[in-house]
Amino acid sequence: MKKFVTIRDVAKAAGVSINTVSRALNNKPDINKETKEKVLKVAKELGYIKDATATSLRYGLTKVIGVILEDSSNPFYSEVLKAVEMAARRRGFNVIFMNTEKDYELEEEAVRTMLSRRVDGIIIAPTQEKSGDIQLLMKASVPFVILGVHFDEIELPEVYSNDVRGSYLAVSHLIERGRKKIVYLSGFLYKSVARMRLEGYRKALHEHLIPFDQSYVFEVEEGVENSYRKMIEIIESGLEFDGVFCFNDISAIGAIQALREKGYLVPKDVSVVGYDDIAFAHFIQPRLTTVRIDKQREGEQAFELLYEMIKRKEIVNKQIVLDVELVVRETT
Amino acid sequence: MKKFVTIRDVAKAAGVSINTVSRALNNKPDINKETKEKVLKVAKELGYIKDATATSLRYGLTKVIGVILEDSSNPFYSEVLKAVEMAARRRGFNVIFMNTEKDYELEEEAVRTMLSRRVDGIIIAPTQEKSGDIQLLMKASVPFVILGVHFDEIELPEVYSNDVRGSYLAVSHLIERGRKKIVYLSGFLYKSVARMRLEGYRKALHEHLIPFDQSYVFEVEEGVENSYRKMIEIIESGLEFDGVFCFNDISAIGAIQALREKGYLVPKDVSVVGYDDIAFAHFIQPRLTTVRIDKQREGEQAFELLYEMIKRKEIVNKQIVLDVELVVRETT
DNA sequence: TTGTAGGCGTTATCAA
DNA sequence: TTGATAACGCCTACAA
């Protein structure tokens, strides 16, 4: 089991030396045409398949990139991941991915694994709880791109979306719909994304002369269940509100469920806006108004930035900020 | 950029030979305790990270498996894929995945790439249009597991769900709800899954003494849009029906959308059952009645079967058929 | 145009 | 207990 044909085997069968085989296989010029054809024929007959492992070792390049994210089955990330894979493949790269489950230890372990695999580059969506692994990456001098996150303190290659603008658009839209008391179901504020979205929220309120009220902002762990429960809690607390801006579509779905159960009509009584525009945002009922991030583009851009670094063999300290779009549907 | 510390560097810095370093790193017994500690210390100081590429070449084992599927962002596959990755990691394996976009050429190319990468095993969800790549895999004598598909003609290691039973349950349930004219929005029948589900459909009708009518079976390409359009078509054709059994949840969503647009109430006028129980099945409104496949288990089982083959170094010609469960919600 | 030899980073065999 | 050496499969100087 698992005995592969080597160039040595091909060489012997074709009656030439191993590097004549190598030359034939790699389209080198310095080889006789007939020899080449013969070698290629023999290689095919024997079912030769080049060992990328050996080539990697020889070249010091694996043509593999690593992708590290919290949950590859999440409808947002799964689309980004797919886009990365497709973009990578177009350039002859394969991708190894690892899930961190939002666990920093797993994230750091994933980084070490990728480094050990000698991937040519890494795309990572860090949890932002700690950033020791990012330090590790910087020291390792392996090209990497931060995905979906922006670090204020250090300048790093990043691809993320313009979420200040996104949430500004979302909240302004709510206000234009006549909503004045807008709950923000936020993610944890140690995450740059949550902070940016909070900033946009505040900006929109401010521009519309609505005072910011901290008691309308709730930091809630991600997941439908969590936002569902938090929404129930908010309703039961008696807080007055007529709009809900959600950290993402998933949490919007949870919120809408809670609202419905408590007898609120969406959007008649309460308007809801989500974020991300995952595929299901326009299949749920009522169709979700949300802020669209172009996930395919995000994945592609992340790979292309990484690729540029791999090719140029140097850090390209560029922050690519993707534009974002409000998609008005039926929940507002 | 990208200069890694090698055991050679460690050896020099520690004043020992390279294989003393190797011994220390790999917890070999025949090494002096102090030497070992010193080596480990130096290795850590220098930031040594083992090169898995070299180890792979040496051992003839990469500790990488390949996963080939049509669309890693599909809510069904993305969950299975994640489960595979998690299971693999527990055993010290990493995973490279490739999307085929239901294109046989890409699928075959993916197989070649995986072979070239010398992955220790492959999990593949084949399109079933052609199967030359499966032949290739068999010849290559690399362990592989077929995911979500059953081949009648050849006995191969497979993990798939009991879809005859699943659709039998679904259709029986529709009948018990008083439905008699049940449309089957099928996938293409060259796929084993579609055939199995058709069989269950027929079986349920037969047992309930409802004659099978070919004109109620529609082969439709996957995707919400396609099932949406087909459903519109069916309605406009004037066909009488009171139930719709869908190939999967995605197609159920499309069908429900069409029904709603055409003024049908679900489930009052028409009952609808989906298949897969993707995460969103219970977020859409009305909540979708569907047949649940345990996606996590499917991924785990696929990996474990593969792992068994890798460990035993021989084909384990086992077909693992996962049980399936009817989840009654609000569309029936 | 072709072949020989060395090396990529590891690990295993054998000898010291 | 330790060290020298060969080998995994490939590619590239260099030599022929």
Side-chain angles (χ1 to χ4, degrees), chain B residues 147-327:
Chain B
L147 180 75
V149 160
H150 170 63
F151 285 95
D152 284 320
E153 323 86 59
I154 353 164
E155 208 169 84
L156 292 173
E158 296 171 336
V159 176
Y160 61 95
S161 49
N162 190 345
D163 288 344
V164 177
R165 179 156 181 276
S167 70
Y168 170 80
L169 290 175
V171 177
S172 296
H173 169 70
L174 283 170
I175 296 169
E176 279 151 23
R177 284 283 204 254
R179 307 307 180 174
K180 290 201 166 54
K181 295 178 175 173
I182 302 166
V183 163
Y184 174 31
L185 244 40
S186 170
F188 290 131
L189 289 168
Y190 64 75
K191 296 193 171 196
S192 65
V193 182
R195 279 199 308 276
M196 286 195 276
R197 293 181 193 175
L198 179 59
E199 192 186 328
Y201 169 87
R202 296 186 70 145
K203 200 173 147 213
L205 291 185
H206 184 257
E207 272 191 24
H208 294 83
L209 307 173
I210 297 176
F212 171 77
D213 185 342
Q214 183 66 53
S215 58
Y216 279 75
V217 177
F218 300 87
E219 275 188 76
V220 14
E221 172 125 41
E222 285 176 61
V224 229
E225 294 307 325
N226 295 314
S227 65
Y228 167 80
R229 254 179 272 129
K230 178 56 78 178
M231 198 70 238
I232 293 280
E233 219 178 88
I234 293 169
I235 294 167
E236 290 178 346
S237 77
L239 186 77
E240 275 184 44
F241 65 94
D242 50 14
V244 183
F245 172 51
C246 300
F247 182 65
N248 60 28
D249 292 345
I250 308 271
S251 87
I253 288 168
I256 289 172
Q257 212 172 317
L259 287 166
R260 182 154 27 211
E261 271 181 34
K262 287 295 187 177
Y264 290 83
L265 291 176
V266 175
K268 194 171 164 290
D269 304 327
V270 177
S271 290
V272 178
V273 182
Y275 211 106
D276 287 350
D277 194 29
I278 58 176
F280 279 86
H282 88 284
F283 294 134
I284 61 164
Q285 208 63 20
R287 290 167 215 254
L288 186 63
T289 293
T290 186
V291 178
R292 174 180 298 157
I293 296 176
D294 189 333
K295 293 155 282 292
Q296 194 179 319
R297 203 170 141 71
E298 181 156 339
E300 280 170 7
Q301 294 277 320
F303 176 77
E304 285 301 322
L305 177 54
L306 188 63
Y307 180 69
E308 201 185 333
M309 295 168 66
I310 293 171
K311 212 175 46 185
R312 289 168 49 176
K313 295 175 201 285
E314 58 175 10
I315 306 293
V316 180
N317 243 331
K318 187 154 60 172
Q319 287 78 41
I320 297 178
V321 182
L322 297 169
D323 199 16
V324 115
E325 181 192 355
L326 179 71
V327 182

Side-chain angles (χ1 to χ4, degrees), chain A residues 246 248-250 252-253 256 266 272-275 277-278 280-291 327-332:
Chain A
C246 300
N248 60 29
D249 293 344
I250 308 270
I253 287 168
I256 289 171
V266 175
V272 178
V273 181
Y275 211 106
D277 194 31
I278 59 177
F280 279 87
H282 89 282
F283 294 133
I284 62 165
Q285 207 62 23
R287 290 168 215 253
L288 187 64
T289 293
T290 187
V291 178
V327 182
V328 178
R329 288 198 270 248
E330 303 169 354
T331 55
T332 52

Side-chain angles (χ1 to χ4, degrees), chain B residues 70-129:
Chain B
E70 61 184 51
D71 178 5
S72 65
S73 75
N74 166 306
F76 179 82
Y77 284 119
S78 71
E79 286 202 45
V80 177
L81 178 61
K82 184 189 179 191
V84 170
E85 195 273 319
M86 308 284 284
R89 188 198 312 212
R90 265 176 256 134
R91 302 275 193 194
F93 281 74
N94 287 121
V95 4
I96 289 186
F97 78 100
M98 295 179 84
N99 286 297
T100 66
E101 299 275 291
K102 296 184 196 165
D103 176 337
Y104 175 75
E105 304 304 324
L106 285 181
E107 182 178 317
E108 193 177 313
E109 192 203 300
V111 169
R112 280 182 207 285
T113 302
M114 295 300 184
L115 257 18
S116 175
R117 291 272 175 214
R118 296 297 192 261
V119 294
D120 295 337
I122 294 173
I123 294 173
I124 179 170
T127 64
Q128 286 193 283
E129 234 178 305

Side-chain angles (χ1 to χ4, degrees), chain A residues 71-130:
Chain A
D71 179 5
S72 64
S73 74
N74 166 307
F76 179 82
Y77 283 119
S78 71
E79 285 201 47
V80 178
L81 178 60
K82 183 188 179 189
V84 169
E85 195 273 320
M86 307 284 285
R89 187 196 313 211
R90 263 176 258 135
R91 301 275 193 194
F93 282 73
N94 287 121
V95 4
I96 290 186
F97 78 101
M98 294 180 84
N99 286 297
T100 67
E101 298 276 289
K102 296 184 196 164
D103 176 338
Y104 175 74
E105 304 305 322
L106 285 182
E107 181 177 318
E108 195 176 312
E109 191 204 301
V111 170
R112 280 182 209 286
T113 302
M114 295 300 185
L115 257 19
S116 176
R117 290 274 175 213
R118 297 297 193 262
V119 295
D120 295 337
I122 293 173
I123 293 175
I124 180 171
T127 64
Q128 285 191 286
E129 235 179 304
K130 304 179 202 168

Side-chain angles (χ1 to χ4, degrees), chain B residues 7 22 26 48 50 58-59:
Chain B
I7 47 170
S22 177
N26 294 293
Y48 171 81
K50 187 193 285 201
R58 181 63 238 253
Y59 277 142

Side-chain angles (χ1 to χ4, degrees), chain A residues 6-7 19 22 26 48 50 58-59:
Chain A
T6 72
I7 46 170
N19 68 352
S22 177
N26 295 295
Y48 172 81
K50 186 193 285 199
R58 178 63 233 258
Y59 277 140

